[in-house]
């Protein structure tokens, strides 16, 4: 088996001798938006110059999630989606480092030694000039340059991408999704916003209400979206179907705190449990709300479906 075929490396303990010798970048890469893609192209070009594989280093959980917990911003994508998008962009490998107390307590110098040198034996690092790391926050671009000149690796600043004078960032995309501006978000992402996952068994309540749904558990993942939306769903076989989706905690039924993505597809009756789907969001219909009865909920769901169908016919007005 070709060792290089193992493109996703979960944890420093899974690094092997053949992973040493590379060019690398470090970041959250949440959304893998056009700004991230520009950095990845920069990294890949450096790798080609050195004739070395390009590696992206990410953390799980993301550092701000480790420190802020539930108060951290919602993610644009889950780890699985992120890894797929990074590899699709052309990098050779993704190293996911667990962010825990042991990593948090490393000094900047120890981080460079443990991760970048002992772990990956990097020859070049592409990183933002505002990058900070280490328990003492002493790690910065200048320190990386200093250690690099002493230990034999180069350091290059990442490029910043602006579109129509606006810096492309995950924070800005989150803001756009929260207000339902999917067209603007798509401009910065370089693709429509979507959530992917595997269809799981639910409580079958939607079927009892005459609105069967395909459910994707979001688990610990917090979506930047909440409410009811028009969507298209892509299946692995290439088929595409229109529908409406609810992202939230179903306050009328359970009031659970665990978020769920529920998709109702128009004129669709196949059993698809276990299938992987990609749910692409187009427009927000309404906020999620708690109804006084299941009858009220059922009536609203029928209104949502009618409004969603109008949207796809081109008759929908926001």
């Amino acid at each position: 088996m070709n060792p290089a075929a193992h493109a996703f490396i979960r944890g420093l303990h899974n690094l092997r001798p053949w992973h040493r010798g590379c060019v690398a970048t470090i970041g959250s890469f949440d959304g893998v938006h056009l700004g991230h893609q520009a950095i990845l192209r920069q990294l890949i070009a450096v790798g080609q110059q050195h004739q070395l594989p390009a590696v992206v280093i990410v953390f799980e959980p993301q550092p701000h999630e480790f420190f802020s917990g539930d108060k951290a911003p919602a993610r644009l994508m889950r780890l699985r989606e992120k890894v797929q998008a990074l590899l699709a962009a052309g990098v050779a490998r993704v190293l996911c480092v667990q962010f825990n107390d042991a990593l948090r307590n490393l000094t900047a110098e120890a981080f460079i030694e443990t991760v970048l040198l002992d772990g990956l034996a990097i020859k070049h690092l592409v990183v933002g000039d505002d990058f900070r790391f280490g328990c003492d926050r002493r790690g910065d671009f200048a320190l990386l340059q200093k250690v690099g000149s002493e230990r034999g690796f180069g350091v290059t600043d990442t490029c910043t991408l602006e579109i129509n004078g606006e810096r492309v960032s995950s924070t800005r995309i989150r803001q756009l999704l929260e207000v339902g501006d999917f067209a603007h978000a798509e401009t910065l992402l370089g693709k429509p916003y979507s959530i992917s996952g595997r269809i799981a068994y639910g409580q079958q309540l939607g079927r009892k209400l005459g609105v069967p749904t395909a459910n994707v558990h979001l688990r610990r993942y917090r979506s930047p979206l909440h409410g009811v939306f028009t969507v298209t769903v892509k299946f692995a076989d290439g088929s595409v179907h229109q529908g409406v989706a609810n992202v939230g905690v179903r306050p009328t039924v359970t009031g659970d705190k665990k978020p769920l993505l529920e998709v109702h597809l128009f004129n669709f009756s196949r059993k698809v449990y276990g299938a992987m789907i990609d749910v692409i969001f187009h427009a927000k219909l309404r906020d999620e709300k708690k109804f006084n009865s299941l009858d009220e909920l059922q009536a609203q769901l029928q209104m949502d479906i009618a409004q969603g169908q109008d949207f796809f016919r081109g008759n929908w007005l926001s």
Side-chain angles (χ1 to χ4, degrees):
M1 182 180 290
N2 179 7
H6 298 283
F8 177 53
I9 309 162
R10 185 186 277 274
L12 295 173
H13 62 284
N14 281 320
L15 286 171
R16 298 293 181 261
W18 58 79
H19 294 136
R20 292 172 56 80
C22 64
V23 301
T25 187
I26 306 173
S28 67
F29 288 91
D30 189 23
V32 192
H33 54 60
L34 290 180
H36 293 143
Q37 292 171 38
I39 293 170
L40 297 175
R41 288 193 297 271
Q42 182 183 357
L43 176 70
I44 291 167
V46 171
Q48 290 170 343
Q49 291 169 10
H50 289 269
Q51 295 187 311
L52 289 171
V55 177
V56 176
I57 303 168
V58 298
F59 300 101
E60 189 68 25
Q62 295 173 161
H64 61 265
E65 292 172 337
F66 180 88
F67 292 111
S68 302
D70 291 341
K71 295 180 180 178
R75 289 192 187 197
L76 295 176
M77 56 172 43
R78 289 182 282 182
L79 177 62
R80 177 193 178 103
E81 297 170 290
K82 182 190 299 186
V83 171
Q84 289 174 337
L86 290 169
L87 295 174
V91 302
R93 301 184 193 115
V94 178
L95 168 63
C96 179
V97 179
Q98 184 181 7
F99 198 93
N100 53 21
D101 283 325
L103 189 76
R104 172 184 121 167
N105 289 325
L106 290 179
T107 64
E109 289 84 354
F111 177 87
I112 295 172
E113 197 70 36
T114 302
V115 179
L116 302 183
L117 295 175
D118 290 348
L120 290 171
I122 65 164
K123 299 302 179 185
H124 201 96
L125 184 69
V126 177
V127 69
D129 59 10
D130 58 351
F131 180 60
R132 295 286 184 277
F133 63 100
C135 62
D136 46 12
R137 302 289 287 171
R138 278 203 329 110
D140 58 13
F141 193 78
L143 178 66
L144 286 165
Q145 286 184 311
K146 175 179 178 293
V147 175
S149 65
E150 296 168 353
R151 302 294 298 276
F153 65 87
V155 185
T156 303
D157 184 13
T158 55
C159 52
T160 297
L161 181 67
E162 291 188 355
I163 296 178
N164 299 324
E166 178 182 39
R167 181 174 176 269
V168 181
S169 72
S170 302
T171 299
R172 179 60 179 142
I173 293 167
R174 271 187 220 102
Q175 293 169 345
L176 293 169
L177 293 176
E178 285 172 6
V179 299
D181 193 344
F182 291 99
H184 195 165
E186 180 176 347
T187 299
L188 304 187
L189 280 165
K191 58 186 176 182
Y193 181 71
S194 66
I195 296 175
S196 66
R198 191 175 300 280
I199 298 174
Y201 281 99
Q203 297 174 313
Q204 305 296 307
L205 179 63
R207 191 171 299 279
K208 294 174 185 175
L209 295 175
V211 186
T213 58
N215 300 334
V216 176
H217 293 288
L218 302 182
R219 306 191 190 283
R220 291 180 300 164
Y221 167 73
R222 284 179 55 223
S223 168
L225 300 179
H226 304 278
V228 179
F229 305 86
T230 57
V231 299
T232 51
V233 174
K234 292 184 179 180
F235 286 84
D237 64 5
S239 61
V240 179
H241 303 271
Q242 297 171 343
V244 291
N246 181 83
V247 184
V249 293
R250 305 191 300 166
T252 305
V253 182
T254 63
D256 197 350
K257 291 185 178 180
K258 293 182 179 179
L260 182 70
L261 168 59
E262 300 173 285
V263 184
H264 171 75
L265 300 175
F266 306 144
N267 305 313
F268 187 89
S269 58
R270 282 166 42 199
K271 290 186 177 180
V272 288
Y273 295 115
M276 287 295 298
I277 58 173
D278 192 24
V279 183
I280 301 163
F281 293 82
H282 302 295
K284 185 170 184 175
L285 299 180
R286 63 175 175 86
D287 290 328
E288 186 178 47
K289 61 180 288 189
K290 184 173 183 176
F291 295 92
N292 295 321
S293 68
L294 290 180
D295 287 340
E296 280 190 24
L297 172 61
Q298 186 177 32
Q300 180 62 61
L301 291 176
Q302 293 301 327
M303 291 172 60
D304 294 339
I305 291 169
Q307 197 174 7
Q309 289 172 331
D310 280 345
F311 171 86
F312 286 109
R313 293 190 193 107
N315 299 328
W316 184 76
L317 296 176
S318 60

